[in-house]
């Protein structure tokens, strides 16, 4: 079995944004030389996410509104106890929990085996600083 590892770095200027990373992941699958296996894509920060969905701007705006409704940004320690630590990002932790930490995609015949509308996204919920995403491909 072979493996291939790549780290992507993001510094998103907005507090919340979605960045399509399908092409970067596909490139790493190609570089890996793995024809059959699995590809893990993992947000390595507790206020960021990796998820799969449609690349449609209306859907992304719906997600942002829904997430803000579920876990509104509020830097005060009254709403979120976590903010008593001196941080102001408790909402970002909740948003990450909802959107997920990672995705695993099959690699078939040297390519990501995604559905017809599926794209891979990095979700940022506490931007304006550098964060990493792990791509780990294993197989033969």
């Amino acid at each position: 079995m072979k493996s291939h590892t790549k780290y992507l770095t993001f510094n998103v200027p907005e507090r919340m944004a979605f960045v399509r990373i399908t092409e970067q992941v596909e490139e790493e699958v190609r570089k890996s030389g793995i024809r059959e296996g699995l590809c893990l894509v993992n947000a390595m920060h507790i206020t960021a996410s990796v998820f799969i969905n449609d690349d449609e701007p209306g859907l992304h705006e719906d997600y942002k509104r829904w997430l803000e409704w579920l876990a509104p940004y509020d830097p005060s320690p009254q709403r979120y106890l976590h903010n008593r630590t001196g941080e102001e990002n408790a909402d970002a932790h909740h948003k990450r929990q909802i959107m997920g930490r990672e995705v695993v995609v099959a690699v078939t015949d040297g390519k990501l085996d995604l559905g017809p509308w599926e794209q891979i996204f990095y979700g940022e919920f506490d931007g304006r600083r550098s964060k990493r995403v792990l791509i780990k491909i294993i197989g033969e």
Side-chain angles (χ1 to χ4, degrees):
M1 180 176 316
K2 297 191 300 184
S3 70
H4 176 82
T5 303
K6 172 73 175 182
Y7 296 93
L8 305 177
T9 302
F10 295 94
N11 194 338
V12 175
E14 299 88 9
R15 190 166 196 313
M16 183 171 18
F18 303 135
V19 179
R20 189 179 73 214
I21 61 172
T22 309
E23 291 79 10
Q24 290 109 309
V25 178
E26 288 173 331
E27 176 66 14
E28 294 309 315
V29 169
R30 187 190 64 71
K31 286 180 182 177
S32 76
I34 292 170
R35 306 290 297 155
E36 299 291 326
L38 296 172
C39 176
L40 166 77
V41 187
N42 173 25
M44 298 182 70
H45 293 267
I46 55 178
T47 58
S49 176
V50 172
F51 64 95
I52 294 177
N53 214 307
D54 193 357
D55 188 8
E56 195 278 307
L59 177 64
H60 294 189
E61 189 58 34
D62 290 341
Y63 267 138
K64 290 175 187 176
R65 290 178 184 181
W66 178 66
L67 289 167
E68 196 58 32
W69 179 77
L70 288 172
Y73 172 69
D74 182 349
S76 75
Q78 284 73 42
R79 181 185 297 265
Y80 301 111
L81 299 179
H82 174 69
N83 289 345
R84 294 178 184 174
T85 66
E87 296 196 35
E88 299 178 349
N89 64 357
D91 68 299
H93 290 271
H94 288 72
K95 290 167 180 154
R96 186 275 182 108
Q97 196 67 26
I98 292 166
M99 295 302 287
R101 174 180 188 254
E102 65 199 6
V103 298
V104 176
V105 180
V107 175
T108 303
D109 199 24
K111 296 182 180 176
L112 291 174
D113 212 344
L114 293 166
W117 302 106
E118 291 184 327
Q119 298 291 313
I120 304 171
F121 293 92
Y122 168 72
E124 176 60 71
F125 307 114
D126 187 26
R128 304 173 304 251
R129 59 190 166 113
S130 186
K131 296 184 184 174
R132 294 184 308 155
V133 168
L134 166 69
I135 302 172
K136 176 69 101 177
I137 305 151
I138 60 171
E140 304 200 4

